[in-house]
Amino acid sequence: MTHDILLTDGGLETALIFHEGVELRDFAAFELLESDAGRATLTRYWRPFFELAARTGRGFVLDTPTWRASRDWGARLGYDAEAIARINRDAAGFAADLRRDAAGSSAIRINGVVGPRGDGYVADDTMTPAEAEAYHRHQVDALAMGPVDGVTAVTMTNVPEAVGVLRAANEADLPVVIGFTVETDGRLPSGTPLADAIAEVDAASPRAPDWFMVNCAHPEHFAHVLGGPHAARIGALRCNASRLSHAELDEAETLDEGDPAEFGTLSAGLALGLPNIRVLGGCYGTDHRHLAHLADALS
């Protein structure tokens, strides 16, 4: 089974900010698509991940840099709804160009990233599923026109918003993955246990997500909640290198990149305990070094 696991990248935004010295307003990596220099920076970021996938003979999931490319975040940065739709289409096109130019391009899957309407660490101002569907439909439809091979809701903090993304993706006829983040106790920032969140989303639509993901949490924060039937619905992990809580990460002025070798061992250990794991990558504080150790641990 391990040879079928696809790789993806690490913590795009933290790597750009702390390793490349790039200023990202509101962590909005999509703004780099607006210039040749920015696109070159993104290309440099992904190149070592492509090389790792080719070296290890694994497929790769290439994310669009659109975690912040939704209407509210765009408005904060001076982009209207039409401009944000264009940026999402451009992001998918840029990813297609990267896939075309990369070695082993046939094994690269383009994933449209949909981020939370709010902070991503705090479950505030929770929408209803209908409100969330209406909000996220704008971005999902634009990514679908890109086009992308599917979409992933990344760093979801609550069930109603996740359900909204699911329904928007279903309407666009796109495969969809729902990614939840958890606190140090293994619960969503909303307080919902991970198992309950998965069950509630699965029951909310006739067409359930392809699978679920846990991201932006250290392996030790949620290893204890992976037992039970819901474990079979988890198909992706993108763990943090840092053991810090979300609140502590918000206050951190330096990057806690942990121990790349330990990250690889812990992430692989979690993955091998999940019967339907499909995709492995990293989140806060991780880069190609962490993923190289993860790939080695899988081998």
Side-chain angles (χ1 to χ4, degrees):
M1 181 188 73
T2 60
H3 67 280
D4 295 328
I5 295 175
L6 308 179
L7 298 178
T8 188
D9 67 306
L12 168 65
E13 292 85 4
T14 55
L16 292 176
I17 292 169
F18 290 100
H19 293 320
E20 297 287 335
V22 178
E23 292 187 11
L24 296 181
R25 299 190 297 162
D26 282 335
F27 272 59
F30 73 77
E31 290 199 284
L32 295 176
L33 295 168
E34 298 287 82
S35 70
D36 289 342
R39 288 177 175 238
T41 297
L42 290 171
T43 301
R44 286 197 307 274
Y45 167 79
W46 267 298
R47 186 174 294 121
F49 293 103
F50 293 155
E51 293 171 352
L52 174 63
R55 176 175 66 80
T56 58
R58 295 188 180 276
F60 190 80
V61 176
L62 173 57
D63 283 353
T64 57
T66 51
W67 186 61
R68 288 299 201 211
S70 64
R71 286 179 298 172
D72 283 6
W73 287 102
R76 278 171 57 101
L77 299 172
Y79 298 86
D80 62 19
E82 182 178 346
I84 284 295
R86 172 187 58 78
I87 283 167
N88 279 279
R89 295 192 299 269
D90 288 351
F94 175 71
D97 291 342
L98 288 179
R99 177 168 64 180
R100 183 196 62 222
D101 296 339
S105 59
S106 62
I108 296 177
R109 182 177 186 272
I110 297 175
N111 175 52
V113 171
V114 177
R117 186 176 190 175
D119 176 78
Y121 283 172
V122 180
D124 53 356
D125 298 326
T126 302
M127 296 176 283
T128 66
E131 290 169 339
E133 179 183 357
Y135 178 78
H136 288 293
R137 183 75 184 270
H138 179 263
Q139 183 177 16
V140 169
D141 284 351
L143 288 168
M145 293 175 64
V148 295
D149 297 314
V151 297
T152 299
V154 178
T155 328
M156 292 289 109
T157 64
N158 63 89
V159 168
E161 184 167 14
V163 171
V165 178
L166 169 64
R167 292 176 178 172
N170 287 348
E171 285 296 318
D173 197 27
L174 284 174
V176 58
V177 175
I178 298 298
F180 285 120
T181 189
V182 296
E183 300 289 353
T184 56
D185 60 0
R187 292 172 175 259
L188 275 60
S190 64
T192 306
L194 179 63
D196 292 351
I198 290 173
E200 290 176 34
V201 174
D202 267 342
S205 175
R207 181 177 170 184
D210 287 41
W211 64 80
F212 290 84
M213 175 176 73
V214 181
N215 83 287
C216 208
H218 189 271
E220 292 179 353
H221 294 170
F222 63 95
H224 64 289
V225 299
L226 293 184
H230 67 283
R233 294 290 287 127
I234 299 174
L237 296 176
R238 298 192 62 157
C239 299
N240 284 353
S242 172
R243 286 181 170 82
L244 295 178
S245 69
H246 289 154
E248 291 169 326
L249 290 176
D250 265 341
E251 297 297 325
E253 296 183 358
T254 58
L255 181 66
D256 179 5
E257 59 188 18
D259 180 335
E262 179 190 57
F263 169 88
T265 299
L266 292 176
S267 293
L270 280 187
L272 297 178
L274 296 170
N276 294 315
I277 193 70
R278 316 273 184 89
V279 179
L280 290 175
C283 203
Y284 180 98
T286 62
D287 54 44
H288 64 279
R289 298 169 300 154
H290 298 74
L291 267 294
H293 283 288
L294 173 53
D296 289 344
L298 288 175
S299 302

